[in-house]
Structures are given as C-alpha cells and as structure tokens.
Amino acid sequence: MDPQLLRSIWPVFSAETREQIQSIGAKVLGMEGPSTAREADLLPSLKRLVHSLKGSAASLGLDDIENVVHAIEDGLAHTRTDVGLPRDAVESMLRGLSGIESAMARGDAGQSPEVEGLASLLKSLGRDVAVPESVSVASGLSAKGLEVLDFLEASLRALCSPDVPDRAAVVRKAMERARGLRGLALDGGASRVATLAESAALGFARMEPGGDPASLAASDVAGTLVELRGRLDAVKSTASANRSVETPKVVPAQAAPEALTPGMPVAAPEARASMAEHTVRVSVKTLDSLALQVELLMSGRSQQARRSESYRAMSDGTHEVLRHLERAASQLSLAGGGPALDSLRSGVALMRTMQKRLLEVSREAHRDGEQLALVAQVARDDLRDLRMVPASQLLEPLRRTVREVSARLSKDVALELAGGEVRLDRRILDALKDPLLHLVRNAIDHGLETPEERRSAGKPETGRLTVRVEPRGARIALVVEDDGYGLSPDRVRATAVRRGLLAEEAASRLSDAQAARLVFQPGFSTREQVTATSGRGVGLDVVQATAARLQGSVDVDFWAGQGTRFTVDLPLTLAAALGLLVRTGTAVAAIPSDSVERVMRLMPEDVGTVAGRVVARVDGSQLTFLSLSEAIGLPRLPLAIDSGRVQMAALVVVGGDKVLYAIDEVVGQQEIVVRSLGKHLQSVRHLAGAAVLDDGRVVPVLNAPELVRAARPETRSSSAEVRRPRILVCDDSLTTRFAMKSLLEIAGFPVVTAADGEEAWGILERTPCQLVVSDWQMPRLDGVGLARRIKSHATLHSTPVILVTSLDSPEDRAAGLEAGADGYLVKREVERGKLLELVRNLLPARA
C-alpha cells in the first residue's frame, strides 16, 4: 500500500487493533481448558474478531501481523467450545498477540511494524512458514540471534524452577545454542555479540548444580541476555537501514514532517507511542448525543437566567408593596390606630421577612446561574475540541491524487499544501473530501496546460497547484488555485448554450462573473468527450451543494492565461454559535453573529438608486440594499424608508463582500445550535437550518453566504439535478472500511459505508448506489446474504456486488458467485490495486 495512504489510515488501524488484541486475549484466556459452562457465543465471537483483524492487516499489506493472526485462526479452526484450548496453545497465542502489540508500538513510533521473532512465533503456533532468506550476514545474524535469544530466555525460566526434570539436558542445549550464536556472530564481525553469547554459555554451565550458585549465575545470565537483545536489535536496525524492506514504512499522520506546525516541538517515539496508547475512539453517535446534552445544558442555563430575573423583579415588586403598606400604617396611626393597625404592622413585618428571603433566593439563583454558565461553556469548548481535527488530514491524501491524475494526463504538476495546522470541525472535514477532490481533479484536467503548451506560452513546464486552508476569524476558506489557462467566460457561455442550460440570448446578457458561475450548474462540463477524469457534467455542482449544506459558499476568480482560483467559505465549526435574532414583518429569524458586522439606522437621504440597483451609502461606500423578507422568499413588505422614516438595517459581511438588509427589529442575541432541516428543504439555499431558542421557539437560521450571493442575482438553470453515482462499502472492521473508502475516494469515487449487511440494506433503500463492495463474514447479515437480497430485489437487482473476504478457497469463491456476486477478491488483493481495477471494469461510465 502507498506509504502516504497507510500513514493516514494508521491511527484508525492502530486504535482498532489494540482494542481487538485486548478482546482476543481475554477470550483466548476464557477458552483455556475444558468447560461446559462457557457461553455458546464465546468461540464464534473469538473467531470473528481474529478473522476481522486478519482481514484488516491483509488489506493494509502488513504481512507479519497477518501471518501471526492467520496462525492463531488456524489454531482455532478445529476447537470446540466445551473442549477449549490446551495451555500451551493459549500461551502461544498470547505470545503472538504480544508480538503484534510490539509491532504496533513500532508503527506508532514511525518504524516498520515488523513482528520480532516471527519464525519462532509461527512455529509455536503450529504454522511453519518459510521466512525470506537474509540479504546480508548482519540481517541473518539478527534473525537467527533473536530466535536463539528466545530459546535461551525460555531455558533460563525453566532452570529457575525448583523441579526441572532433566536439568543437565536443559543446560547442555542452552550452551550449544549460545555457542552456535557465538560462531555466527564471529562470522558476521559482531565481536560484542560473540562475547555476550560466550558469557551466556558459561553462565548456564554454572547453573547446572543448582542451589545458591545457580541463583547467582541466573542473575548474571539474565543481565547478559538483556544486553544481548539490545545488541541484536542494533544489528537488526543497521541491517534494515541498508536494505529494501517490502513492508512500507508507517509514519502516523501526527509524525509527518509536512503536517507539523513550524516551531512545534517533535515528541520522541516513546512519547508518541504513549500518546497512542492513551487515546480512545468515540463514535459519532456518542458525540452527537453529547452535543444534544450540551445544547440542553445551554438551554437550561438560559431558562435559569430568566428565572433569576423573575426573582429580582418579584423582589422589586415586593418593595413597592411594602412602601404602600407602610404608608397605610402611618395613616392609620395618625387616625388613632387600633387592632387594624397592629394587624397591618404584623403583615408589614412578615412581608419584610419574605422580601429578605426572596432577595437571598435571587442572589443564590444568580450565583448558581453563573456557575452553570461556566460549566456549560467548558462543556461546549471541550465538545468543540473533540470535534476539531487538523486540516492536514484533508490535505495530505491529495498528494497521491495529484500524482495519479497528472501522470494519466501527461502533465507535470507541483502541489503546494498550506494551512494543514488549522483545526476545523471533523464533520466539515469529512464533508469536504469529495468537493476538494473534484476541485483538484478539475484544476489538473481543465486548468493546467500540458508541458508543451506551457513552454510555448513562456511558462515553466511544471504547473503549480496550490491547496490551502486559511483561517478567517470564526470561518475558514479552502482555496484551490492553479497557474494554468484561466477560466474562459466565452467558452462557458457557449458550452451552456450547447448543453441546453441557457438560451443564447440569456447567455449573452450574462456578465463574465455570472457566466463563470455556470460551472457550478448540474450537467455542466466544457469537456467534449467523456474521459476517465471528466466530461460527464458532475463535480463542481457537488462543491456548491456541499458548501450550502455546511452554511457556506463557493466562489471562482480567474485571470486569462494566468490561472483560476476557487474559494470555499465555511464556518470553522458546526457547534453552537452566537446568533442575531431579527424580525422582518411577523417572521423572526437568526443570522450567525460572526457574519453581521453591525446594525445601523439609515436615513432616507442615505438610500438611492444606481443603474437600477438600490444602494445605501455607508462610510463613503455604496452598498447593495435589499429587503430581508424578499430575499428569504417572504412577501415584500413596505419599508420604513419608503415613507421617509428611519430604516433599521443589518450589514452582512462574508469575505470581502458586504450587503445591507432591511429589517424591522433586533429581537436579541443568544447561543444557537443549528439543526438540519432534512432532505426536503436542502434546496432552499438561504436556509442553513433551524434552532430552538431558550423560550422554546423554533426559528430558521439564515445562510449568510447565500444572503450575500442573493445580492448578485444570477441566472439559475431549471434543469434537473444529476445524481452522482456512489459506491457502498460494507465491512464490520473499521480499519478495512476506512482503507477501502480511502482507496476509492482517492480514485475519484464518492463512497458511503456500513458496518454490516443490515445497515447496508437500509442505506440502499434510502440512497441510490451504483456498486456495492462487501465483506463476507459480518454480524446480523453477511455479505452472501446481502448479495442475495440485492439480486432478488425488483429495482436493485442490476447493482454490481463485489465480495471482499479472507476466504479464498474454490468452494468459497463458488458460493459467493452463486449468490450473485459480480466480483470476488481476497483482502490481501485490495492493496495491490485489484479492487480499483475490478470497480472500474464494473463501472465503465462512472463520473
């Protein structure tokens, strides 16, 4: 597998594998010895875990780990639940798991995840696998030496036991193996290893009599073996540095030099490994649930603040009542008093006590409210941090994409990435993968010239493609820029007419900027012929749709012969944010506060008309002035300024664009959490979602970038949206799902995923998918059952199905194809390019 892709997948694989190893170890211990009281699902669940781990390792090309897990799987193949596993088999499996853990630690530290002592581990697990012959004496010494060292350590443990059956035989064999290692070390020029091996042999000789001398000798031998292992590890590292290793070097994303912030201290390998061991995976469902609880906490804080204000108002009211009662008591006293006066004074005293208590409750409520506000703020910030990830996770996979696409198109492209240290919401990052891929592919295919064309135009033969993430306060900008042809508005107009998106007269009336935005229309492509990269009229429309869904916008700038720049403006996070509540007519709506520069009052003389466009003069500049009610699709209401009165307006700013919107009133400002309105309202571009106010009202949240866009009316096509083909990847292993998803997305395919057959079936019923890639063995509904269900469905029967599994016998292949599968792959073939080859064969007309 490509090292960069493996690097991006490694953190997911590492976290999942460590959890699997713990579960496998616990279940293996539970299978030790015969027992009739075991749960019936213990052995099947153990086999499923082992099978899943083997498939994950195979899909990433980690041969050492796959071989060890395969050996464990073979050892479980003929095991019965009531009979269990013998003790030596349990110990061998646990040693195998420990070897995998050590390999994972090396991978976390940026080294190759090789399993040390692989041959001896496999042999103890009952699987003799030929290990490739060493390419040097040093590597041979390392491999043989570590195997001998394992034997010597086992011999030392045996001799430390009080009842050794044949002590002399154990000592003799240990001395023979140690002196054999000495000879090998002398041949390899490793004199220190030879010296340590001889010292170990002499130490074992001193242990033969037993008793106190043997105990003292055991201590010396143990120290010698520790030093010997260190020397052999050093020999192995030297040998590895001088040879080509088949298993790709794993560099976790956080250790990649290009992903580090300048000046950031680099953690040592031990620290990185420790950090990896102290992380946990949290499901998106859990994060969403936590977000809901934080939202309720914020709402509760607002309600509590209102109650505190009510207490204060009641206290003030009580004071006023007391004033009237005291005046009445004074008048009664002047009139002679009597029993009524005594009763009134008692009531006044009681009212004073109640007022004092009410004041105390008000203060306590205020203090509790402040504490609750602090807790809510910390919880919201922590939740936001949980969702924030570095943009490098989005940018780094582009290196392979650019290399593949530029090679296919015979273009020289230099990719520049910037802003990888910027942290943004994980939901935004995930949603941006497809749009960014389309922008990059579009830039290489349509934007950059061939080396010959660039040379004739006086440019360097290598085209420059820049992808950067720019922080802009509470928002970010994703910029994709090239130094190629530059977008041609005339060509775009001609293409729009030819493809039936616009009439020729309407196209001619468009300005260059308006014409340029036609590239975001569904069905638009300037490519005359369909190629593997473009020409099907889908891609940039997805960029605009995704930006709108994420409360953002996309814009394009171009310079003839110099290049094109696409800018996607998005919020930094989708978590709770401040919203400005405004009223227009009877409707109340929220506008994100970070997009409102200020609210002002306009005088009649500040508003006028320029070239048929209503503008308002603000700070010496003329800004577009629109009615908010009309912009969001409500009936246009008379404005105060129409009758010569002062008009309230909100200045909405996105990027460098500013627009004034007429409003009737500012209702207030409060924290809001934007909720999706569902697929039925996705086409309403001016809506970002809805929010629940602290008083229980539901208000629409307006999409500020689209409000700014509305100030620049553009011709909209009424043509139906073209549905993009999708691939459904189904596997119960998170690592395998992520690996196949990454491979397919890098190749240009949009992908949705499922954890088992039942979840996949539910997705297929809701979302059109053009191909299904499924694992065989999964809980609830396996791959064969899913294939049969798809092939028997009235409308889904023509959907191609590829089964990807570790089961590679002829019988298994026949069973999969009999179920209706259109393709069959063994997991180790995934990372060798077989999956992409098969997918392309089954989807010849993909986008």
Side-chain angles (χ1 to χ4, degrees), residues 678-686:
K679 61 181 181 180
H680 300 294
L681 292 175
Q682 284 181 352
S683 60
V684 184
R685 295 189 180 278
H686 68 265

Side-chain angles (χ1 to χ4, degrees), residues 79-309:
T79 304
R80 288 170 41 191
T81 302
D82 57 340
V83 175
L85 293 167
R87 181 171 182 174
D88 58 344
V90 171
E91 291 178 352
S92 297
M93 290 180 182
L94 294 179
R95 281 199 300 274
L97 294 176
S98 298
I100 295 174
E101 281 188 321
S102 300
M104 299 301 298
R106 280 188 285 276
D108 290 338
Q111 303 171 9
S112 181
E114 298 174 341
V115 176
E116 294 220 359
L118 178 62
S120 61
L121 272 179
L122 295 178
K123 187 174 181 180
S124 68
L125 288 166
R127 189 167 187 241
D128 291 328
V129 177
V131 179
E133 186 174 348
S134 303
V135 296
S136 67
V137 175
S139 60
L141 169 62
S142 172
K144 182 66 176 176
L146 290 172
E147 183 179 349
V148 171
L149 187 60
D150 290 339
F151 179 85
L152 296 180
E153 289 175 346
S155 300
L156 179 61
R157 286 194 295 271
L159 291 172
C160 289
S161 302
D163 51 346
V164 184
D166 190 349
R167 192 177 189 88
V170 174
V171 169
R172 185 173 62 254
K173 290 181 180 179
M175 291 177 65
E176 290 174 357
R177 298 294 293 272
R179 284 180 171 145
L181 176 59
R182 176 179 178 273
L184 184 63
L186 289 174
D187 292 339
S191 57
R192 181 56 183 167
V193 172
T195 302
L196 291 171
E198 180 61 21
S199 298
L202 295 175
F204 278 112
R206 289 162 50 201
M207 294 183 67
E208 184 173 357
D212 291 337
S215 299
L216 295 174
S219 176
D220 294 338
V221 170
T224 300
L225 295 183
V226 169
E227 185 178 354
L228 184 57
R229 181 173 289 279
R231 290 287 175 175
L232 289 173
D233 285 340
V235 170
K236 180 179 180 182
S237 299
T238 303
S240 299
N242 295 323
R243 64 175 179 164
S244 174
V245 182
E246 289 183 2
T247 305
K249 182 176 180 181
V250 175
V251 183
Q254 63 266 31
E258 57 270 27
L260 294 176
T261 304
M264 179 186 296
V266 181
E270 297 81 0
R272 290 198 295 270
S274 175
M275 287 187 286
E277 293 171 358
H278 288 81
T279 59
V280 295
R281 289 188 294 117
V282 181
S283 69
V284 175
K285 184 177 180 181
T286 302
L287 280 178
D288 290 341
S289 175
L290 182 59
L292 177 61
Q293 303 310 313
V294 171
E295 179 185 349
L296 294 175
L297 182 60
M298 299 295 294
S299 177
R301 156 65 186 130
S302 300
Q303 293 171 359
Q304 196 276 339
R306 269 204 318 278
R307 283 195 297 270
S308 178
E309 289 299 322

Side-chain angles (χ1 to χ4, degrees), residues 487-490 492-493 507-518 556 558:
L487 188 145
S488 170
D490 292 336
V492 171
R493 289 188 187 94
S508 64
R509 290 199 301 265
L510 295 178
S511 66
D512 285 352
Q514 292 171 343
R517 291 199 59 79
L518 289 175
V556 57
F558 52 93

Side-chain angles (χ1 to χ4, degrees), residues 408-529:
R408 184 166 62 247
L409 298 175
S410 299
K411 295 182 178 181
D412 294 333
V413 181
L415 175 65
E416 299 176 7
L417 301 178
E421 72 281 359
V422 177
R423 298 179 67 84
L424 63 157
D425 197 309
R426 181 57 188 251
R427 292 168 293 181
I428 293 178
L429 183 142
D430 290 339
L432 281 177
K433 288 180 180 177
D434 273 349
L436 180 57
L437 186 63
H438 286 299
L439 287 173
V440 169
R441 288 161 60 90
N442 181 78
I444 299 173
D445 190 19
H446 295 274
L448 293 172
E449 311 95 331
T450 63
E452 295 78 14
E453 291 172 328
R454 293 182 65 86
R455 190 166 51 247
S456 62
K459 295 182 178 181
E461 292 188 5
T462 301
R464 180 175 53 82
L465 175 61
T466 302
V467 182
R468 61 183 181 271
V469 177
E470 299 176 352
R472 296 180 176 179
R475 303 184 70 83
I476 61 162
L478 176 63
V479 181
V480 179
E481 185 173 358
D482 65 75
D483 65 347
Y485 298 107
L487 188 145
S488 170
D490 292 336
R491 188 181 179 193
V492 171
R493 289 188 187 94
T495 302
V497 173
R498 185 175 61 255
R499 291 183 175 269
L501 299 177
L502 278 180
E504 186 172 356
E505 182 182 354
S508 64
R509 290 199 301 265
L510 295 178
S511 66
D512 285 352
Q514 292 171 343
R517 291 199 59 79
L518 289 175
V519 299
F520 298 111
Q521 291 296 326
F524 185 90
S525 176
T526 57
R527 181 70 65 199
E528 298 294 339
Q529 296 179 343

Side-chain angles (χ1 to χ4, degrees), residues 551 577-584 586-593 628-629 631-634 667-668 670-677 681 684-693 695-704 707:
Q551 308 165 39
L578 275 176
L580 183 71
L581 303 178
V582 299
R583 181 180 62 81
T584 174
T586 59
V588 175
I591 306 175
S593 294
L628 182 61
S629 61
I632 63 177
L634 298 176
V667 178
Q670 72 171 64
E671 290 278 356
I672 58 173
V673 176
V674 183
R675 293 292 184 184
S676 171
L677 293 173
L681 292 175
V684 184
R685 295 189 180 278
H686 68 265
L687 287 181
V692 180
L693 303 183
D695 59 3
R697 285 183 296 166
V698 178
V699 297
V701 180
L702 304 183
N703 189 330
L707 289 179

Side-chain angles (χ1 to χ4, degrees), residues 292-454:
L292 177 61
Q293 303 310 313
V294 171
E295 179 185 349
L296 294 175
L297 182 60
M298 299 295 294
S299 177
R301 156 65 186 130
S302 300
Q303 293 171 359
Q304 196 276 339
R306 269 204 318 278
R307 283 195 297 270
S308 178
E309 289 299 322
S310 298
Y311 292 149
R312 187 178 299 276
M314 290 172 63
S315 177
D316 293 342
T318 303
H319 178 75
E320 187 66 20
V321 170
L322 275 173
R323 209 161 49 81
H324 286 290
L325 290 176
E326 287 174 344
R327 185 181 299 116
S330 298
Q331 292 173 354
L332 279 175
S333 177
L334 293 174
L341 179 60
D342 294 338
S343 177
L344 183 58
R345 285 175 173 170
S346 298
V348 170
L350 182 60
M351 182 65 74
R352 285 190 180 280
T353 303
M354 292 179 63
Q355 182 193 30
K356 183 178 180 181
R357 179 56 186 157
L358 188 58
L359 186 59
E360 291 175 355
V361 169
S362 175
R363 290 172 178 170
E364 290 173 0
H366 179 73
R367 186 169 56 251
D368 293 344
E370 292 298 319
Q371 185 175 1
L372 183 59
L374 178 61
V375 172
Q377 182 67 35
V378 171
R380 190 189 68 176
D381 292 344
D382 287 347
L383 176 62
R384 183 174 297 176
D385 289 341
L386 280 176
R387 290 190 179 275
M388 302 297 277
V389 293
S392 58
Q393 294 187 18
L394 178 69
L395 300 180
E396 287 302 320
L398 295 177
R399 297 186 187 277
R400 179 174 177 179
T401 301
V402 171
R403 188 163 56 246
E404 289 181 351
V405 176
S406 60
R408 184 166 62 247
L409 298 175
S410 299
K411 295 182 178 181
D412 294 333
V413 181
L415 175 65
E416 299 176 7
L417 301 178
E421 72 281 359
V422 177
R423 298 179 67 84
L424 63 157
D425 197 309
R426 181 57 188 251
R427 292 168 293 181
I428 293 178
L429 183 142
D430 290 339
L432 281 177
K433 288 180 180 177
D434 273 349
L436 180 57
L437 186 63
H438 286 299
L439 287 173
V440 169
R441 288 161 60 90
N442 181 78
I444 299 173
D445 190 19
H446 295 274
L448 293 172
E449 311 95 331
T450 63
E452 295 78 14
E453 291 172 328
R454 293 182 65 86

Side-chain angles (χ1 to χ4, degrees), residues 24 46 163 201 209 230 271 312 634 735 750 753:
I24 291 172
L46 173 58
D163 51 346
R312 187 178 299 276
L634 298 176
T735 298
T753 61

